[in-house]
Amino acid sequence: MVALDINEHRLSSGAWLSKLKGATGPLVGLLVLCVFLSVSTDTFLSVRNGLNILDQITVLGIMAVGMTFVILIGGIDLSVGSALALAMMVMGWTANVAGLPLPVGIAFALIASAVSGLIVGLLVTQFRVPAFIATLAMMSAARGVANMITDGQQIVGFPDWFMMLAIDRHFGVMTATVFLMLAVVLAAWLFLHFRSEGRMLYAVGGNSEVARLAGINVPLVTIGVYVMSAVLAGLAGVVLAARLDSVQPSSGLGYELDTIAAVVIGGTSLSGGAGGIGGTLIGVLIIGVLRNGLNLLNVSPFLQQVIIGIVIVLAVGAETIRRRRA
């Protein structure tokens, strides 16, 4: 019995270690990056700069949670940037043109983004359209609708209370938008670790056919994941509108690449079935800290794109090597 208990303890410890492996590398990279920037700049290691980084990653952080779900099931979503723009324009038109209360506009924005995710999910599951093609098509369609709503014009000006969500620091520390991002991250982490529906995402990503034989409704899970990804993109659009005090149909261009990069850098496997929210949060922080540090070092924005591209390649390469050794 004692030997059995020891073996079970070892298996349990090994299971926890295997869960941490995917995020350990990104965490070490984040710490090394912070140390380097602390030595290289005088302003990086300050409370004010740290709070600014948190403010800057709110939109990316919320979107990355939805993208984590998508990549966990072995999918991809190129439409999140356009879903963000669509939600922003629906909210702006509803509140500033139609004259409805802003909370109603926010609700319509989330509904609009959910519909875009539902269409993608149905294309993938019912019409067998590859996720890359389905989301690429939605990326174009949603962006087109966002432009049609106001004929390509931006909408400026929202109630003061809405703008203050991204400005007013509660307890002198965090804005409401940062609290929202952290709440979304925590809820997603709890969902993946303590809900059977969350474990289904890993099963579908690991092997969809085995998941189907185990009684999991794979099409329903897939549709739900794409809807959630789009809704979180819409929520990120609301946060971005609060930060900018305006909405414009060109918002979110290139955000899908940043979102995918954050998830991949955080250790989630592009083939699905491995990864998690903790790693994604680290990936978001890496991108946020890297951009902030490069700005402090007065690095050209064009060179920043090259550096971030190299970081993505290194992250994917490290993940590939780790999987081969596993």
Side-chain angles (χ1 to χ4, degrees), residues 39-56:
V39 174
S40 303
T41 67
D42 297 328
T43 55
F44 176 78
L45 196 61
S46 64
V47 174
R48 181 176 180 180
N49 189 59
L51 295 178
N52 286 336
I53 292 174
L54 286 178
D55 288 334
Q56 292 162 6

Side-chain angles (χ1 to χ4, degrees), residues 146-169:
N147 278 280
M148 290 170 59
I149 291 174
T150 59
D151 197 24
Q153 301 299 311
Q154 69 173 351
I155 297 175
V156 180
F158 291 99
D160 290 341
W161 66 263
F162 181 66
M163 185 175 61
M164 293 304 295
L165 294 176
I167 297 178
D168 189 20
R169 295 191 184 279

Side-chain angles (χ1 to χ4, degrees), residues 8-318:
E8 288 180 350
H9 176 72
R10 288 175 178 173
L11 287 173
S12 177
S13 301
W16 277 106
L17 287 173
S18 65
K19 288 182 179 180
L20 292 174
K21 279 182 181 178
T24 301
L27 179 59
V28 172
L30 176 61
L31 294 176
V32 170
L33 180 61
C34 289
V35 171
F36 170 76
L37 292 174
S38 299
V39 174
S40 303
T41 67
D42 297 328
T43 55
F44 176 78
L45 196 61
S46 64
V47 174
R48 181 176 180 180
N49 189 59
L51 295 178
N52 286 336
I53 292 174
L54 286 178
D55 288 334
Q56 292 162 6
I57 65 171
T58 50
V59 173
L60 178 60
I62 294 172
M63 295 176 69
V65 169
M67 188 65 74
T68 301
F69 291 164
V70 172
I71 294 180
L72 276 178
I73 66 169
I76 198 74
D77 192 349
L78 301 178
S79 64
V80 289
S82 297
L84 175 146
L86 175 63
M88 291 178 72
M89 299 313 297
V90 169
M91 182 191 74
W93 184 90
T94 304
N96 285 31
V97 178
L100 295 176
L102 184 55
V104 175
I106 294 174
F108 275 110
L110 298 180
I111 292 172
S113 59
V115 170
S116 70
L118 177 61
I119 293 173
V120 168
L122 291 174
L123 288 174
V124 171
T125 58
Q126 304 303 314
F127 297 93
R128 306 299 181 185
V129 178
F132 181 87
I133 301 300
T135 57
L136 185 64
M138 182 53 65
M139 179 176 70
S140 178
R143 182 74 62 181
V145 173
N147 278 280
M148 290 170 59
I149 291 174
T150 59
D151 197 24
Q153 301 299 311
Q154 69 173 351
I155 297 175
V156 180
F158 291 99
D160 290 341
W161 66 263
F162 181 66
M163 185 175 61
M164 293 304 295
L165 294 176
I167 297 178
D168 189 20
R169 295 191 184 279
H170 298 277
F171 309 108
V173 181
M174 294 184 185
T175 61
T177 53
V178 173
F179 278 118
L180 176 62
M181 180 196 71
L182 295 178
V184 169
V185 169
L186 178 60
W189 185 84
L190 292 173
F191 173 75
L192 288 178
H193 285 81
F194 297 103
R195 296 289 300 178
S196 60
E197 294 86 352
R199 307 309 301 174
M200 289 180 185
L201 304 190
Y202 289 95
V204 172
N207 191 313
S208 59
E209 181 60 21
V210 172
R212 184 187 67 82
L213 294 174
I216 297 175
N217 190 333
V218 176
L220 183 60
V221 170
T222 302
I223 292 173
V225 163
Y226 280 105
V227 169
M228 181 55 64
S229 177
V231 168
L232 289 176
L235 182 61
V238 174
V239 171
L240 183 59
R243 286 177 56 83
L244 301 177
D245 193 31
S246 65
V247 295
Q248 52 189 354
S250 62
S251 298
L253 285 172
Y255 279 29
E256 56 278 340
L257 302 181
D258 286 349
T259 306
I260 294 171
V263 176
V264 172
I265 290 172
T268 298
S269 173
L270 284 170
S271 58
I277 296 298
T280 294
L281 180 59
I282 295 173
V284 170
L285 286 171
I286 287 176
I287 291 181
V289 168
L290 185 59
R291 283 192 169 148
N292 176 266
L294 292 175
N295 286 329
L296 294 177
L297 292 171
N298 295 318
V299 176
S300 165
F302 306 114
L303 182 56
Q304 289 186 29
Q305 294 177 347
V306 175
I307 294 174
I308 292 176
I310 293 173
V311 171
I312 295 171
V313 171
L314 292 176
V316 174

